[in-house]
């Protein structure tokens, strides 16, 4: 990482909510959408790596997260995406590349479907198509039912390996001190609102209609989002590539920020090769007639 770039953080009014929003760096804008319960602080090291590679990174606290106010009543996923579209309008951004991780990847899929003209390129990390995908380990999903891990250090250390996999299995303290410990705990109403938004959601009926160049990244040690979900996304999205992170847990962008940022910017800048799959993953060939890639 070449130095650091301070973010311009301000509050942007979008309808009934005020969103704490960060804009960092210059260049082609990339909207970064983080996961369940996360605040701006979570992805800062990753954002710095993206900025060092010539990207302007826009991120925000979702309603009820970090420094953003919650909705007066909960929204389903299309309603949440209308708020994201409103944020882009308020910032004067007509078209952006979009990177979504975990729940943020769900929001990114919905945004690409709901407002396709606003999404130039799409990167989906550690995420799933909702209903029709493979659920995570029951113990991991149960731990996600509350935001306690963001408030209770001992609780986080007890469950980190079980829910996040990857580095969290062997060195949970490192992730705690470098990233997790700096996150602003979410409000309970905001956290429950995010769970409500995802309940019953599925992109399976329309994934085949997405036309954005898409990079799907998945860890092979992710208890929350099993690898098969990445394979499903890459299979169903017509112009998609799949990269499997060997030994990567759910938080692989935090475990390997420089590596991930380099891969993502290369892809979005059009420098990806026809085959972006590594680490022993299923190989995906060029798309046959009909639009979907064929597994070998």
């Amino acid at each position: 990482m070449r130095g650091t770039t301070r973010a311009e953080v301000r509050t942007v009014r979008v309808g009934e909510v005020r969103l704490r929003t960060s804009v960092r760096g210059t260049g082609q804008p990339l909207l970064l959408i983080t996961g369940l319960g996360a605040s701006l602080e979570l992805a800062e090291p990753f954002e710095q790596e993206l900025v060092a590679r010539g990207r302007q990174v826009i991120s925000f606290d979702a309603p009820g997260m970090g420094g953003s106010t919650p909705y007066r009543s909960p929204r389903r996923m299309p309603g949440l995406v209308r708020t994201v579209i409103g944020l882009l309008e308020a910032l004067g951004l007509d078209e952006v590349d979009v990177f979504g991780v975990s729940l943020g990847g769900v929001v990114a899929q919905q945004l690409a479907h709901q407002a396709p003209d606003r999404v130039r390129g799409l990167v989906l990390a550690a995420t799933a198509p909702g209903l029709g995908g493979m659920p995570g380990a029951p113990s991991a999903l149960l731990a996600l039912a509350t935001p306690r891990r963001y408030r209770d250090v001992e609780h986080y250390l007890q469950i980190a390996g079980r829910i996040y996999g990857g580095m969290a299995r062997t060195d949970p303290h490192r992730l705690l001190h470098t990233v997790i410990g700096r996150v602003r705990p979410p409000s309970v109403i905001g956290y429950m609102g995010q769970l409500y938004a995802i309940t019953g959601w599925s992109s399976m009926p329309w994934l085949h209609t997405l036309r954005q160049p898409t990079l799907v990244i998945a860890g092979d040690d992710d208890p929350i989002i099993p690898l098969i979900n990445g394979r499903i996304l890459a299979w169903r999205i017509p112009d998609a590539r799949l990269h499997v992170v060997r030994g990567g847990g759910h938080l692989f962008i935090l475990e390997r920020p420089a590596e991930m940022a380099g891969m993502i910017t290369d892809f979005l800048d059009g420098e990806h090769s026809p085959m972006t799959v590594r680490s022993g993953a299923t190989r995906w060939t060029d798309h046959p007639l009909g639009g979907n890639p064929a597994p070998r």
Side-chain angles (χ1 to χ4, degrees):
M1 185 167 64
R2 299 186 292 274
T4 59
T5 303
R6 293 183 63 85
E8 177 190 350
V9 179
R10 58 191 174 101
T11 299
V12 178
R13 183 85 187 198
V14 182
E16 69 181 60
V17 296
R18 297 190 302 275
L19 302 179
R20 185 170 69 124
T21 304
S22 164
V23 179
R24 189 192 304 269
T26 58
Q28 174 66 33
L30 185 149
L31 178 67
L32 191 155
I33 310 175
T34 53
L36 180 66
S39 68
L40 291 176
E41 289 76 13
L42 180 71
E44 184 175 342
F46 178 61
E47 289 188 21
Q48 293 282 4
E49 294 290 351
L50 290 168
V51 168
R53 290 162 175 79
R55 288 276 156 169
Q56 180 184 64
V57 181
I58 302 97
S59 57
F60 64 97
D61 288 341
M65 303 297 113
S68 294
T69 60
Y71 292 120
R72 287 192 289 268
S73 58
R75 307 289 177 88
R76 290 295 191 182
M77 194 55 60
L80 177 56
V81 165
R82 283 193 290 273
T83 298
V84 176
I85 295 169
L87 175 63
L88 294 177
E89 292 173 347
L91 296 175
L93 296 168
D94 295 326
E95 183 185 63
V96 293
D97 290 324
V98 178
F99 173 89
V101 58
S102 192
L103 176 62
V106 168
V107 178
Q109 292 173 63
Q110 184 71 38
L111 177 61
H113 171 63
Q114 198 166 320
D117 292 343
R118 290 191 175 273
V119 180
R120 173 180 173 268
L122 184 62
V123 181
L124 304 173
T127 195
L131 293 179
M134 176 67 71
S139 60
L141 299 182
L142 182 62
L144 296 180
T146 77
R148 182 182 172 188
R149 65 193 181 282
Y150 288 116
R151 303 176 183 276
D152 184 336
V153 171
E154 290 304 318
H155 179 68
Y156 160 79
L157 291 173
Q158 289 174 3
I159 69 170
R162 186 169 76 246
I163 67 172
Y164 294 132
M167 183 185 293
R169 294 191 192 278
T170 57
D171 194 0
H173 289 85
R174 178 179 170 189
L175 288 175
L176 174 67
H177 295 308
T178 58
V179 183
I180 300 295
R182 296 186 296 144
V183 172
R184 292 192 186 188
S187 68
V188 173
I189 189 172
Y191 194 86
M192 294 299 107
Q194 287 190 315
L195 292 177
Y196 175 80
I198 191 65
T199 301
W201 177 88
S202 177
S203 60
M204 290 294 285
W206 44 258
L207 277 175
H208 67 283
T209 70
L210 297 185
R211 291 296 177 261
Q212 297 86 357
T214 303
L215 174 62
V216 180
I217 313 174
D220 65 3
D221 182 24
D222 184 344
I224 298 173
I225 306 291
L227 173 58
I228 185 61
N229 292 285
R231 299 196 192 281
I232 291 170
L233 290 171
W235 169 55
R236 291 289 293 158
I237 299 172
D239 191 10
R241 303 289 183 267
L242 172 66
H243 177 90
V244 177
V245 181
R246 185 182 297 278
H250 191 67
L251 302 178
F252 56 75
I253 69 163
L254 308 181
E255 299 170 4
R256 312 177 191 185
E259 176 187 342
M260 295 298 108
M263 180 198 314
I264 290 162
T265 53
D266 284 351
F267 177 84
L268 293 173
D269 291 341
E271 299 173 10
H272 53 285
S273 64
M275 209 64 74
T276 320
V277 182
R278 303 176 189 172
S279 307
T282 298
R283 296 181 62 206
W284 299 87
T285 66
D286 292 338
H287 301 171
L289 292 176
N292 290 328
R296 286 180 176 174

